[in-house]
Every structure is written in structure tokens, then in C-alpha cells.
Amino acid sequence: MITAPQLRAARGILDWTRADLAKAANVSPETIKNIEHGTFRPQEATAEAIIRAFGSHDVTFTENEGVQKKKDLVKTFTGGSGYKDFLDHIYLSVQRNRDDRLATRQFNYSDEIIKTFADDFSGPHLERMQSIPGLDAKCLVPEGDYNFPASHCEYRWLKKVHAGAIPFYLYGNNVSMVSDRSDKEIVFISIHSELLASLFYSRFDMYWQEAAIPPKRV
């Protein structure tokens, strides 16, 4: 169970206000305040939401009421539940916009993936992404694909000559390579690196300039 000192320490590591944490964990600021004041202990679902919010920013809770910031730069997200964690990581990485750029880039795979692996989660995720002020989102999808669920994203068609290019996703300064191993399992490997991300953003821009704007369907 999360203790009040752990919660305050974890917020301190990320320089989060109670409102920041409440937004990330989808709970009320009053709930965070009451936990930190010891007014009540959080229910299991609330504690899990808080742990998940901090975990998406590499802050974990340890034994003896400890808190630590993980140093690893590589994250792996596997399967349906992993894909939802991946969407959480995308949102939490860009919505604060402290060190990372406020941008996302999707390259060479369809947004049908959202319906396939996170159908019940897709609506809330797309709504929260749309609510991020100033988010620069672009999607390069395979030519002929009309799965455009993200109203905050500008879509273009990647030329068929590039159909064999390795799919990837950029968010902030994170580079994620996607491996679609089957229709029931997918794996994202995400690396946080400003230098690597800059290279991939430049690569994406090159393909974007020659991409086609999808015609309206009659």
C-alpha cells in the first residue's frame, strides 16, 4: 500500500503538483490530498492507478516506504495489456511537455491496431490526446488505408514503394519500433533518446514531404 510520505516523495521526484498526479492517475486532487494527509487509505483500484501513473514516468515504489527513479531507457510493451500501457506512456510522456518535444509521429502501420488491441480503451485515449494543447501529431499510414480515428492527427498515405519500411512510432523523445507478431499479440520496444528521436523525426519528415493526401471517400 502506498504511504503518504511515498506519495509526496514520488511527486517531488517528478516535480508534480497534486493536480498533475490527479490528472495522470484519473483521480480527483482531493483524493490525493486526503491520502497525503492520512485522512484515508486509497482503495486498491486508486492505488493501482497512482502506481501506474508514476510507473509511466519511471518512478517506482520500493520496500520500507522507498521511492526510486529507474535509470533504464528501454521499455517493452507486449500484447493487449502492454499496448494499453504503451498508450498510457505516450500520453504521459507528451502531456507534461517538460523535456520532450510536444509531438507524435506514426509511420507505416494502420490505426486499425487501436481497435484490434485496445477497443474499449481507444475512445478515452483518443479524447485525452486530443485535449493536449499544441500537440503536433502526424500519421503516415499505408496507401489505401482509411482508418483515421484520431481527430487530433493529420493523416497522409505512404507511397507503396516504401511498403517494406520498418514501422515505428515517435512520441516526445521516445522512439518505438513495432513488431506485429500475430493478430493477437503485438510488441513495442521503446527507447528514450533525444539524439535517436531527432534522427527518426528527420527521417519521418523526408517521407512526409512526398506522401499523398488521402482523397475523400465518395
Side-chain angles (χ1 to χ4, degrees):
M1 184 61 67
I2 305 171
T3 66
Q6 279 181 303
L7 202 54
R8 290 193 294 268
R11 286 200 299 108
I13 289 175
L14 296 178
D15 193 24
W16 273 5
T17 64
R18 287 174 182 159
D20 292 330
L21 174 56
K23 183 176 181 181
N26 195 28
V27 300
S28 71
E30 189 69 18
T31 295
I32 303 301
K33 176 182 176 181
N34 288 335
I35 296 173
E36 292 189 352
H37 284 179
T39 305
F40 65 81
R41 301 182 68 179
Q43 297 181 349
E44 183 176 351
T46 300
E48 289 179 351
I50 292 172
I51 291 171
R52 189 174 181 179
F54 280 120
S56 295
H57 277 74
D58 299 326
V59 174
T60 60
F61 299 98
T62 63
E63 295 181 356
N64 300 318
E65 299 190 13
V67 179
Q68 69 178 16
K69 185 84 158 63
K70 293 191 294 185
K71 300 300 183 182
D72 58 310
L73 299 177
V74 180
K75 290 179 174 291
T76 301
F77 305 90
T78 304
S81 61
Y83 182 62
K84 293 179 182 179
D85 288 339
F86 176 63
L87 296 182
D88 275 341
H89 197 245
I90 292 171
Y91 172 69
L92 292 170
S93 294
V94 298
Q95 63 103 3
R96 286 284 292 168
N97 191 30
R98 285 185 177 270
D99 301 318
D100 288 0
R101 65 180 78 198
L102 189 57
T104 64
R105 298 288 187 269
Q106 178 176 314
F107 179 79
N108 201 22
Y109 65 90
S110 172
D111 262 342
E112 177 70 17
I113 186 177
I114 297 178
K115 182 178 180 180
T116 302
F117 293 98
D119 191 24
D120 59 332
F121 192 58
S122 60
H125 171 67
L126 293 174
E127 288 178 6
R128 66 182 180 178
M129 292 298 291
Q130 185 177 0
S131 71
I132 300 175
L135 178 62
D136 176 17
K138 293 183 173 67
C139 296
L140 269 175
V141 298
E143 187 174 337
D145 178 58
Y146 274 98
N147 289 288
F148 304 155
S151 59
H152 64 278
C153 188
E154 181 181 356
Y155 288 88
R156 288 187 184 180
W157 280 347
L158 184 68
K159 286 187 175 181
K160 289 183 178 180
V161 68
H162 304 308
I166 297 175
F168 62 83
Y169 193 96
L170 309 176
Y171 54 105
N173 287 328
N174 297 279
V175 179
S176 292
M177 311 303 292
V178 55
S179 172
D180 193 350
R181 303 200 321 215
S182 72
D183 60 352
K184 294 184 178 180
E185 183 170 297
I186 194 165
V187 177
F188 280 88
I189 299 175
S190 183
I191 304 171
H192 186 271
S193 168
E194 184 175 356
L195 176 59
L196 186 63
S198 295
L199 294 174
F200 272 84
Y201 276 104
S202 296
R203 178 182 177 186
F204 182 95
D205 289 343
M206 178 182 67
Y207 287 111
W208 182 261
Q209 294 304 318
E210 63 178 34
I213 298 175
K216 293 184 178 180
R217 303 183 82 168
V218 179

